[in-house]
């Protein structure tokens, strides 16, 4: 993890919570001190220098995340250094379309827009009755919704497409139970939650039934 700004810190913390070893690098001594007790290894260094990264053992890692957002130059130079080290997976945060193109052109394998992606997701949640929402592109989405009244007490096999706007129910959580795969025999009780998939319009329309 290179860059311990807001996004980098949250990502590093999440990776650590998933029991992954994290080497974090940042120029800021304060951030390094703050995270030294929470991550496996935190180093204050200039990650734009290939030699520095090599000394830190970065060349032996399977993947790296460049989370730098404040400086496009530092972000690009860091990706270039990682490419020179031959890392098989380089993830890089972009702050604009132009930044993303540059990162891709210098060798980043995956370019992410955390602010834009979060903004789009939150916008969908604000204007709909979905509890959670993930869009995969090509007008396909998965959503978490409360069970609509029309589904209560009936097995899913009895529902005509018009009754649930064409979405497919792939998971269900009955009150007091864990989420499980939904089948044609699944019968839902009041208070259940569903995981559904379909087009964006379909899942939004289905959520509006709740």
């Amino acid at each position: 993890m290179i860059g311990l700004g807001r996004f980098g810190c949250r990502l590093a913390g999440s990776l650590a919570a998933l029991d992954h070893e994290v080497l974090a690098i940042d120029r800021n001594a304060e951030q390094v001190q703050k995270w030294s007790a929470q991550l496996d290894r935190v180093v204050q260094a200039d990650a734009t220098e290939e030699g520095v990264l090599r000394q830190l053992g970065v060349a032996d890692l399977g993947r790296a995340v460049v989370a730098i957002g404040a400086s496009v130059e530092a972000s690009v130079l860091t990706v270039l250094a990682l490419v020179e080290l031959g890392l098989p997976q380089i993830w890089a945060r972009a702050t604009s379309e132009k930044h993303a193109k540059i990162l891709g052109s210098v060798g980043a394998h995956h370019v992410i827009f955390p602010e834009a992606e979060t903004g789009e997701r939150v916008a969908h949640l604000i204007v709909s009755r979905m509890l959670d929402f993930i869009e995969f592109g090509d007008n396909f989405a998965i959503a978490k919704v409360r069970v609509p009244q029309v589904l209560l007490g009936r097995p899913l096999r009895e529902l005509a497409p018009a009754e649930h706007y064409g979405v497919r129910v792939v998971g269900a959580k009955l009150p007091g139970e864990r989420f499980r795969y939904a089948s044609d025999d699944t019968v839902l009780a009041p208070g259940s939650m569903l995981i559904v998939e379909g087009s964006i319009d379909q899942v939004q329309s289905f959520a509006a039934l709740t």
Side-chain angles (χ1 to χ4, degrees), residues 111-192:
V111 178
I112 51 178
F113 292 85
E115 291 85 357
E117 291 165 5
T118 299
E120 290 174 5
R121 175 175 169 273
V122 172
H124 280 289
L125 297 177
I126 289 172
V127 300
S128 73
R129 303 190 70 179
M130 294 182 288
L131 302 175
D132 208 346
F133 173 85
I134 302 174
E135 182 181 352
F136 292 92
D138 298 321
N139 195 31
F140 181 80
I142 292 179
K144 175 183 175 183
V145 301
R146 295 182 179 86
V147 61
Q149 188 73 24
V150 69
L151 269 66
L152 294 177
R154 300 168 59 190
L156 293 179
R157 68 158 59 90
E158 292 183 3
L159 299 176
E163 289 183 281
H164 52 85
Y165 289 89
V167 302
R168 179 185 178 193
V169 180
V170 294
K173 183 183 185 303
L174 278 64
E177 299 182 12
R178 295 182 176 182
F179 268 107
R180 65 188 184 193
Y181 288 112
S183 69
D184 289 343
D185 297 322
T186 299
V187 178
L188 301 169
S192 299

Side-chain angles (χ1 to χ4, degrees), residues 48-51 53-54 59 77-87 90 106-107:
T48 65
E49 296 291 337
E50 178 191 342
L53 296 179
R54 193 178 296 278
L77 289 176
T78 300
V79 169
L80 277 171
L82 293 169
V83 170
E84 290 298 315
L85 291 178
L87 261 72
I90 302 171
V106 299

Side-chain angles (χ1 to χ4, degrees), residues 11-47:
L11 181 55
S14 296
L15 290 169
L18 293 170
D19 293 325
H20 289 277
E21 291 186 13
V22 178
L23 163 62
I25 303 170
D26 197 282
R27 291 179 177 178
N28 188 306
E30 252 182 61
Q31 286 296 88
V32 169
Q33 180 65 30
K34 177 181 176 181
W35 283 88
S36 60
Q38 302 178 54
L39 300 174
D40 299 283
R41 189 179 172 203
V42 186
V43 179
Q44 182 183 2
D46 182 357

Side-chain angles (χ1 to χ4, degrees), residues 39-76:
L39 300 174
D40 299 283
R41 189 179 172 203
V42 186
V43 179
Q44 182 183 2
D46 182 357
T48 65
E49 296 291 337
E50 178 191 342
V52 171
L53 296 179
R54 193 178 296 278
Q55 287 179 357
L56 293 174
V58 174
D60 299 324
L61 303 178
R63 62 183 66 86
V65 180
V66 180
I68 301 169
S71 169
V72 171
E73 180 182 3
S75 167
V76 172

